[in-house]
Amino acid sequence: MNVYDGQRIAAMLTARGMKQTDNISDADIIILNTCAVRAKATDKVFSALGRIRNAKKPDALFGIVGCVARESGADAFRRIPELNFVLGPQSYHKLPEILENPDIKLLNIDLGGLEKFDELPQMEKSPAVAYIPIQEGCNHCCTYCIVPYTRGRELSRPFNDVIKDTVHVANTGAIEICFLGQNVNGYKYTDSDGKTYKLSDLIREAAKLEAIKRIRFTSSYPTEMTDDLIEMFKTEPKLLPFLNLPIQSGSQNVLTRMNRPYSLNLYIDIVDKLKSARSDIQISSDFIVGFPGETDEDFEQTMNIAKRVKYINSYSFKYSPRPHTAAALMPNQIPEKVKAERLAKLDSYLNDLQREFNTSCVGKTLTCLYEGSDKTGKHLVYRTPYMQQCITDACDGIAPMLAQIEITDANKASLRGKIIK
């Protein structure tokens, strides 16, 4: 989501005659696009703001947009008095007001609707992978999650607006699209005629576009993985055989305290249905260790679910108390030392699973999407259907955007291969 927001902010400022620079000391406006999902991310934001303050030109405008802006509000101006603007994730289309009135301090962290999608200009050229937000916010209110506070309640964009954006990126260079949402598979929009559209309808319509060769979506919620969506993995070959399906914990007791109202049996049933629909599908997940009250037995149940599903790639974190969340006030907060030990154990096993899957790809030929060359210029970087990085030797002429690559070697982090065609 932040990649998309950054691209649209850049397009908006470029349309006003500005150009991007990588040198802070040359910039006339500096925008830090932020995420507040973990405390460490917020801490990094204010450290970065301090460095920017010292490196920027005296008259350069700078500020923050996104979830940390919403979380911190006016307190951001107290911590960094030199800030010119603090704009929440649904307010960054207000940036032109700063350019027109550079002497004002602009604070706008209100939770709006979907106005920013109407006001932002389209990019003239789309990247090969185009991100298409289809909804904002989340209604699930997990007790550890700050998203309902920073992004608000769940709102789905009109079906025709999403398709219009999809057609535009297809016509301007995109090969792969990724539908985005905090609860992306909960997308539901009812038009004026009473017809209701779901994520499966968006996938079906997007797949009709000849330029689009790959489709995926993130981030999913288990109870929203409905049969019509599972069926798409069986019937639509453009939908990649890869899904991030966060479980967070393998303990039913912990899931209940997290306010994630699904059973482990339901989760496993969904995974089984997905694998039945498409035999080559692979699953990744998200984990939180050290949630308040998590016992050693709870943690072992998390290890057990990882062993049962055999995730090919996962994101795992120590529980981080966030403001405006119920879990931050819960008793039995877990000591940092215990959280670190549990995370190290889980990470070690998840890394083994990732290495095992990568090794199993050796000898296979996969259709991969070109991302660019490495820093040396001697190698090309591709992305497999399972989101693995695949490195090949540079070829003569223009690198194919979609290539058949025979996988020749693998480690935990990436694959190596040679282009067949």
Side-chain angles (χ1 to χ4, degrees), residues 19 28 137 172 197 212 251 253 265 268 275 325 343 393 402:
K19 62 181 181 179
D28 297 301
T172 54
Y197 296 92
I212 301 301
S251 164
N253 290 334
N265 286 339
I268 292 296
K275 292 186 176 181
T325 64
L343 181 62
D393 290 336
L402 278 175

Side-chain angles (χ1 to χ4, degrees), residues 32-49:
L32 199 60
N33 190 17
T34 64
C35 172
V37 72
R38 292 194 295 149
K40 188 174 182 179
T42 299
D43 294 341
K44 284 183 175 181
V45 166
F46 285 97
S47 294
L49 287 172

Side-chain angles (χ1 to χ4, degrees), residues 63-287:
I64 57 174
V65 302
C67 289
V68 172
R70 165 68 181 168
E71 175 195 0
S72 300
D75 188 56
F77 288 119
R78 181 190 63 80
R79 296 180 64 175
I80 309 287
E82 296 85 353
L83 283 174
N84 300 99
F85 54 90
V86 177
L87 300 174
Q90 294 169 343
S91 305
Y92 61 73
H93 56 289
K94 303 290 186 181
L95 275 169
E97 293 182 24
I98 286 290
L99 299 178
E100 294 163 5
N101 302 281
D103 295 328
I104 69 168
K105 285 185 177 289
L106 181 59
L107 171 69
N108 191 324
I109 57 170
D110 294 336
L111 291 175
L114 301 172
E115 295 87 358
K116 71 179 181 183
F117 297 108
D118 297 324
E119 297 193 28
L120 292 169
Q122 294 280 12
M123 292 184 290
E124 293 184 5
K125 180 172 176 54
S126 298
V129 178
Y131 296 103
I132 308 288
I134 65 175
Q135 49 101 268
E136 282 266 326
C138 185
N139 290 344
H140 284 290
C141 296
C142 302
T143 57
Y144 56 82
C145 185
I146 198 173
V147 164
Y149 177 80
T150 58
R151 293 267 181 176
R153 305 297 283 174
E154 195 170 298
L155 293 172
S156 291
R157 295 181 64 199
F159 179 82
N160 288 337
D161 287 1
V162 175
I163 295 304
K164 180 180 177 182
D165 283 357
T166 305
V167 170
H168 174 79
V169 300
N171 290 338
T172 54
I175 294 175
E176 175 183 306
I177 57 170
C178 178
F179 290 125
L180 291 177
Q182 280 78 35
N183 180 32
V184 68
N185 53 339
Y187 174 85
K188 186 178 292 184
Y189 177 77
T190 302
D191 66 16
S192 57
D193 296 326
K195 183 175 181 179
T196 298
Y197 296 92
K198 302 172 73 174
L199 177 55
S200 55
D201 298 304
L202 289 173
I203 293 169
R204 188 177 297 107
E205 194 67 20
K208 296 176 183 178
L209 300 170
E210 185 177 352
I212 301 301
K213 308 300 183 185
R214 306 188 353 161
I215 301 172
R216 56 189 172 97
F217 56 89
T218 195
S219 178
S220 301
Y221 192 87
T223 58
E224 310 281 8
M225 191 56 62
T226 51
D227 288 343
D228 62 296
L229 187 53
I230 292 173
E231 182 70 11
M232 292 304 300
F233 284 95
K234 181 178 181 179
T235 60
E236 181 45 64
K238 290 186 179 181
L239 186 60
L240 294 183
F242 174 73
L243 177 68
N244 178 258
L245 192 64
I247 191 167
Q248 305 301 358
S249 173
S251 164
Q252 195 66 64
N253 290 334
V254 173
L255 289 175
T256 298
R257 292 199 300 277
M258 287 178 168
N259 192 34
R260 291 182 71 85
Y262 50 83
S263 68
L264 295 174
N265 286 339
L266 174 64
Y267 185 92
I268 292 296
D269 184 56
I270 291 168
V271 171
D272 289 344
K273 284 183 177 180
L274 287 162
K275 292 186 176 181
S276 177
R278 185 159 182 180
S279 60
D280 61 342
I281 197 168
Q282 298 293 336
I283 311 295
S284 71
S285 196
D286 298 352
F287 293 93

